[in-house]
Amino acid sequence: AQKVTQAQTEISVVEKEDVTLDCVYETRDTTYYLFWYKQPPSGELVFLIRRNSFDEQNEISGRYSWNFQKSTSSFNFTITASQVVDSAVYFCALSEANTGGFKTIFGAGTRLFVKA
Amino acid sequence: EAGVVQSPRYKIIEKKQPVAFWCNPISGHNTLYWYRQNLGQGPELLIRYENEEAVDDSQLPKDRFSAERLKGVDSTLKIQPAELGDSAVYLCASSGGALSNYGYTFGSGTRLTVV
């Protein structure tokens, strides 16, 4: 069975601090896909990144970076030099290839507060 | 291009009343999903459509929930009768196919409060 754990319920930082959001996943499938979504106060989930299980390269996009480590089943998300606009709930998600990629399981989310 | 459109944005009803939510996915997206998001939790899949066919409704509480996507475009999710525990945000999402490189596109959701 697939499972996503985001142990941090809430994180509060001061603007310009770096912050890392943790994500640990469980799956029996050898091929799977990991995602991060952002949910601002407006409510819609905004896709940030997808990572395939066979691609362990870390990724950087502007102030965002992702660290995928299969050995520890983790897919952590770091925001560098955080800004107030980064305040949102962030969800890590997992989709197994044996479901055709259609069954996406979400973690409980981490609420990030960035104070000015 | 318009995103996934949902209405209403908010709904407050008394328990035992019926309620319906509407979703218009991104044009050309064959796959449509309804998710329920309880307070402080991640979204949970209720039903997935491929065009007009419900291909995964295993987590839909069929005694009171129903959904349809008659022409393979927009979709309606209904609850009848609503219970207090149905209070949640109902999210609609669409995608251009499995394993889209861009994940799902979500609507802003309908926040349902049952009193």
Side-chain angles (χ1 to χ4, degrees):
Chain A
Q2 47 182 339
K3 183 179 179 182
V4 176
T5 302
Q6 295 180 256
Q8 304 150 308
T9 305
E10 289 186 2
I11 300 176
S12 183
V13 299
V14 177
E15 208 171 20
K16 298 184 183 177
E17 284 186 11
D18 298 347
V19 59
T20 296
L21 310 181
D22 298 333
C23 173
V24 175
Y25 62 92
E26 293 177 28
T27 177
R28 295 180 195 166
D29 210 344
T30 54
T31 303
Y32 51 90
Y33 309 89
L34 296 163
F35 304 83
W36 276 95
Y37 284 85
K38 174 182 180 180
Q39 188 174 41
S42 54
E44 78 280 13
L45 279 89
V46 178
F47 169 82
L48 296 178
I49 190 172
R50 163 189 148 169
R51 176 60 69 207
N52 304 331
S53 57
F54 45 84
D55 180 4
E56 282 196 74
Q57 277 192 339
N58 292 327
E59 177 141 348
I60 298 175
S61 176
R63 296 184 297 107
Y64 295 171
S65 62
W66 292 268
N67 185 318
F68 176 31
Q69 292 196 349
K70 288 179 76 170
S71 60
T72 55
S73 297
S74 65
F75 186 42
N76 297 337
F77 172 31
T78 297
I79 302 175
T80 303
S82 60
Q83 300 177 0
V84 172
V85 294
D86 296 326
S87 297
V89 182
Y90 291 86
F91 291 95
C92 181
L94 165 70
S95 186
E96 293 175 333
N98 67 14
T99 68
F102 286 115
K103 204 148 199 172
T104 300
I105 302 297
F106 288 81
T110 297
R111 183 176 295 275
L112 175 64
F113 295 98
V114 181
K115 296 178 286 189
Chain B
E1 174 186 283
V4 175
V5 179
Q6 289 188 248
S7 68
R9 189 78 172 90
Y10 303 93
K11 190 74 176 178
I12 301 175
I13 62 170
E14 294 184 346
K15 62 181 180 182
K16 300 185 182 179
Q17 294 301 305
V19 64
F21 316 124
W22 176 79
C23 171
N24 192 25
I26 288 183
S27 177
H29 279 190
N30 297 328
T31 309
L32 182 146
Y33 312 79
W34 282 103
Y35 278 83
R36 176 169 60 188
Q37 185 178 15
N38 292 314
L39 187 64
Q41 297 182 21
E44 296 176 329
L45 180 68
L46 291 173
I47 189 169
R48 171 170 68 92
Y49 280 92
E50 288 296 331
N51 298 304
E52 64 274 12
E53 182 182 359
V55 294
D56 183 358
D57 62 356
S58 57
Q59 299 189 78
L60 188 73
K62 298 182 184 63
D63 56 336
R64 296 182 300 105
F65 286 65
S66 65
E68 60 184 16
R69 192 184 184 198
L70 293 175
K71 295 182 180 178
V73 181
D74 56 345
S75 174
T76 302
L77 178 68
K78 298 178 182 177
I79 308 175
Q80 182 170 8
E83 297 179 353
L84 295 177
D86 295 331
S87 294
V89 175
Y90 291 83
L91 292 162
C92 179
S94 69
S95 67
L99 310 178
S100 167
N101 283 330
Y102 303 102
Y104 303 163
T105 303
F106 282 85
S108 297
T110 297
R111 182 177 296 277
L112 174 67
T113 302
V114 182
V115 298

